[in-house]
Amino acid sequence: MTVKQTVEIKNRLGMHARPAMKLFELVQSFESEVMLRNDAGIEAEASSVIALLMLDSPKGQQIEIEATGPDEAQALEAVLNLINSGFDED
C-alpha cells in the first residue's frame, strides 16, 4: 500500500541544501521509500540529497509526498511535520 499527501513548502528559502539534508537524515530512520513530487511532475527520492535539490521547490510550492513500505504512515507523518515546521529554519 502507499500513502500520499500534498503539503506546501513553508520555509523562506524553500528546498535548499540544509532542508534537503534534514529530510534525507529523517527518512534514513524509516524502512519505507519516500518520494516527493513537485507540481511540474518532477520526482525525487528523499534518500537522495541531490534529487531533492533538483526539485527546485521555493516557498509556497505544493509538494506531494508519497511513502511506500512497512512504516509508511509514520514516515509520511514525520516528513509532513518536518516540512510544516519550515525545516526548523524560521
Side-chain angles (χ1 to χ4, degrees):
M1 195 172 139
T2 299
V3 292
K4 296 180 187 181
Q5 191 164 334
T6 301
V7 65
E8 179 181 322
I9 299 292
K10 294 179 174 25
N11 60 313
R12 189 171 50 87
L13 297 174
M15 183 68 74
H16 59 93
R18 208 166 313 136
M21 193 63 192
K22 281 187 176 187
L23 184 54
F24 166 80
E25 289 172 349
L26 175 66
V27 299
Q28 298 306 305
S29 64
F30 296 99
E31 292 182 49
S32 297
E33 179 180 306
V34 178
M35 294 285 294
L36 280 71
R37 188 174 300 106
N38 68 14
D39 51 11
I42 297 171
E43 294 184 343
E45 288 186 27
S47 59
S48 169
V49 174
I50 298 299
L52 291 171
L53 292 173
M54 300 287 287
L55 282 176
D56 190 30
S57 301
K59 179 179 180 176
Q61 184 171 63
Q62 297 290 315
I63 296 289
E64 182 182 66
I65 303 156
E66 179 178 302
T68 306
D71 53 1
E72 60 196 19
Q74 295 90 345
L76 178 64
E77 183 178 355
V79 171
L80 287 170
N81 288 339
L82 180 64
I83 293 172
N84 283 326
S85 76
F87 297 93
D88 300 321
E89 288 192 331
D90 299 328

